[in-house]
Amino acid sequence: MLCDGRIPGGGGSRATLVKIIVIGAGVAGLSIGWRLQQRGASVTVFDRGQPAHGATWASAGMIATAGELGAAQTPETEFAHYSSGLWPDFAKAIEQASSQDIGYVRCGALIVARNAQEAAGLTVWSGVERLSALQTLAREPMLTPDIAGSLWAPDEAQVDSRALGNALATAFVRAGGVLVPNETIVRFKVESDRVTSVVTPFASHEADAFVLAAGAWSGGIDGLPTGAAPPVKPVKGEMIAVVPPAGVAMPAHIVWGNGGYLVPRSDRLLIGATSEERGFDTSVTDAAADLLSSRARDLMPALAKWEVVERWAGLRPGSPDGLPILGRTSVDGLFAATGQFRNGILLAPAIAENLTRIILEQAAEIPAFDPRRF
Ligand SMILES: Cc1cc2nc3c(=O)[nH]c(=O)nc-3n(C[C@H](O)[C@H](O)[C@H](O)COP(=O)(O)OP(=O)(O)OC[C@H]3O[C@@H](n4cnc5c(N)ncnc54)[C@H](O)[C@@H]3O)c2cc1C
């Protein structure tokens, strides 16, 4: 790091021998680490457990700008559209670099109205088409016939987030990055208002810059001045997966409705998701499984005969205003990439690109996401 805070090699050129430590090997930390490593930085990613076994593993993997953000015109929606446009090339690059399939598919989504009141509330915007009940049923015949219509969002896509995590870890390591699992960052060492090293139970590690991408746990590492840690809170989400009886086909599209969603993923259908603030509890409950099943059966009655094959829970990184926390923190040398809440997979390529530019090219933060806004 230069005296004025810039990192050598900035201004668009390749950074040489800049040492960067990333805390957290989820989709955020691995994507950022991979991009920084490709740009010539020397990156080490630490995870307190196995890579990509946090929210990334639990995710439904939707790249769901319409389903999650709707017609709103906000900085997040703009960023989400940008990110979803990056996804096809991002997916291709990960698959090429890792030699692994991550299941990226632009399958489209139906946002279903269950009744006339919901149908009246469906707003059409650019890239989204309104369908009648009959048109909706023609696209997804398993839906209950008493739906009132839908929005068809053809650009919605999905990726297998578990395969994505593995592939990103491989791509990062193949690019020359160092991945250190099972080593928790417990404390930052701050000298003269600058983070100089991080401390684990085994050692202290110095670097020129540090990226805090520890998901829902990003606010819990000791050593920062008061108010400098990102105010991230865990938001629990439970999901289930079901498989069809022999000979029964999967739905073809992502389906939103009844406060939840159905995601066809090769041979299983993912049903999500609950949303609760329960601290760091990741227990799997019968109540959540029952709720998800009954919402799904109400949309597609035939699902009553499908077998539940997996139940799981994960913790989304929520922020006080629901927006990502992305860029420089109030402590020199420390950058944050967290607070993505329900959209960390969707936003991953844009977050990686944005933070890489902030670190290596001194680009400015998107004001709505600036970590120093709190
Ligand atoms: C049920 C559910 C469904 C979801 N569905 C979608 C979806 O369809 N589309 C979408 O875009 N998003 C979805 N999300 C949200 C998305 O999963 C998250 O926003 C995203 O995975 C966050 O990625 P991350 O890398 O920041 O966090 P994580 O994936 O949680 O990774 C953080 C990593 O940091 C590590 N870590 C924590 N503390 C430390 C420490 N002190 N030292 C070292 N390592 C540490 C953890 O072990 C973990 O591996 C969903 C989330 C849930 C829970």
Side-chain angles (χ1 to χ4, degrees):
M1 191 81 78
L2 301 175
C3 300
D4 62 0
R6 289 184 300 118
I7 289 183
S13 63
R14 279 171 70 82
T16 45
L17 297 176
V18 178
K19 198 173 167 201
I20 299 176
I21 286 178
V22 177
I23 303 154
V27 67
L30 289 170
S31 306
I32 294 162
W34 182 44
R35 284 308 191 207
L36 287 167
Q37 186 73 33
Q38 287 178 317
R39 291 280 304 270
S42 167
V43 184
T44 303
V45 177
F46 285 89
D47 201 285
R48 60 178 201 161
Q50 288 300 302
H53 271 64
T56 300
W57 177 88
S59 156
M62 290 180 293
I63 295 154
T65 310
E68 285 288 356
L69 300 165
Q73 291 200 323
T74 64
E76 189 180 25
T77 315
E78 197 180 315
F79 197 56
H81 280 295
Y82 175 62
S83 198
S84 117
L86 294 177
W87 251 106
D89 285 344
F90 187 62
K92 221 176 286 166
I94 295 168
E95 291 190 336
Q96 272 168 5
S98 66
S99 315
Q100 293 170 32
D101 181 2
I102 61 168
Y104 173 80
V105 49
R106 185 171 162 272
C107 54
L110 288 164
I111 301 164
V112 172
R114 270 310 271 114
N115 52 47
Q117 193 186 350
E118 283 184 14
L122 292 178
T123 318
V124 179
W125 67 94
S126 162
V128 171
E129 183 189 345
R130 182 192 284 275
L131 301 184
S132 67
L134 280 179
Q135 289 169 320
T136 308
L137 288 162
R139 272 182 206 273
E140 208 56 85
M142 275 177 58
L143 283 164
T144 179
D146 62 356
I147 55 166
S150 70
L151 291 181
W152 166 237
D155 291 336
E156 301 280 270
Q158 60 159 308
V159 62
D160 181 334
S161 59
R162 297 179 187 177
L164 168 68
N166 291 335
L168 269 173
T170 302
F172 170 64
V173 171
R174 283 188 178 176
V178 178
L179 184 53
V180 184
N182 302 318
E183 188 163 344
T184 307
I185 307 300
V186 293
R187 191 158 47 83
F188 291 103
K189 202 163 165 205
V190 180
E191 291 169 280
S192 309
D193 294 328
R194 165 174 292 282
V195 175
T196 54
S197 57
V198 286
V199 180
T200 78
F202 312 114
S204 175
H205 303 275
E206 291 183 354
D208 300 308
F210 299 83
V211 176
L212 180 51
W217 301 268
S218 295
I221 301 174
D222 289 342
L224 293 177
T226 308
V232 178
K233 58 182 176 190
V235 183
K236 181 183 181 186
E238 289 193 56
M239 294 190 61
I240 61 173
V242 294
V243 293
V248 174
M250 295 287 281
H253 313 290
I254 295 168
V255 175
W256 291 80
N258 275 350
Y261 51 76
L262 313 174
V263 184
R265 172 78 38 84
S266 56
D267 57 349
R268 33 194 243 155
L269 183 71
L270 313 187
I271 302 175
T274 62
S275 189
E276 288 179 283
E277 291 190 24
R278 301 181 62 88
F280 290 93
D281 167 29
T282 52
S283 60
V284 171
T285 64
D286 289 343
D290 291 347
L291 175 71
L292 294 169
S293 293
S294 85
R295 279 182 187 165
R297 282 197 310 268
D298 183 68
L299 273 178
M300 288 189 180
L303 294 180
K305 294 206 169 67
W306 292 36
E307 184 191 351
V308 177
V309 288
E310 192 183 345
R311 295 159 51 170
W312 68 93
L315 300 174
R316 308 173 182 95
S319 69
D321 56 10
L323 295 175
I325 299 173
L326 186 59
R328 296 167 187 83
T329 68
S330 56
V331 190
D332 276 355
L334 180 63
F335 300 82
T338 184
Q340 317 92 311
F341 190 34
R342 296 172 65 97
N343 295 311
I345 307 292
L346 161 64
L347 299 178
I351 284 176
E353 187 189 284
N354 186 264
L355 199 68
T356 298
R357 292 190 58 238
I358 288 172
I359 296 175
L360 297 183
E361 299 172 20
Q362 299 78 53
E365 281 76 12
I366 295 169
F369 306 159
D370 191 325
R372 296 161 293 190
R373 70 188 183 276
F374 298 109

